[in-house]
Amino acid sequence: GMQLLDMTRNGKWGEMANIITDEVMEKIVPRGTYDTIVDVYQRWYGELTDRITFPMPDDPEDDRLAAQVIQQLQKN
């Protein structure tokens, strides 16, 4: 953690990828497909929060799927 903090302070954002492994990312970033992400968020956060940031897709073709996920998240 301290090494990453030092890197941010020195603007070495591009070098961070060399330190953060896929294994670490699996532990700190919830991820899934449009079909599974609602369950992933519920498992990770459950009753811990009443707001979640959901990144919007870069591809406009996925807007409909993202909207469906957001509707499901709002219901829970």
Side-chain angles (χ1 to χ4, degrees):
M2 291 305 296
Q3 186 176 9
L4 292 171
L5 179 59
D6 288 340
M7 293 174 97
T8 60
R9 288 180 175 160
N10 294 313
K12 297 181 179 179
W13 298 99
E15 294 176 31
M16 291 175 135
N18 298 326
I19 294 175
I20 303 174
T21 65
D22 289 342
E23 183 178 287
V24 169
M25 290 298 288
E26 290 290 327
K27 294 188 184 289
I28 64 172
V29 178
R31 67 181 197 168
T33 64
Y34 289 113
D35 293 336
T36 64
I37 196 63
V38 172
D39 291 334
V40 171
Y41 275 16
Q42 288 176 337
R43 202 170 50 248
W44 276 57
Y45 302 111
E47 299 294 320
L48 297 175
T49 185
D50 59 358
R51 294 183 183 180
I52 289 180
T53 299
F54 185 78
M56 297 306 292
D58 292 329
D59 186 346
E61 295 285 324
D62 291 333
D63 285 353
R64 181 183 52 79
L65 296 170
Q68 290 172 348
V69 168
I70 291 167
Q71 286 176 338
Q72 289 176 353
L73 289 168
Q74 288 174 332
K75 289 179 185 177
N76 296 315

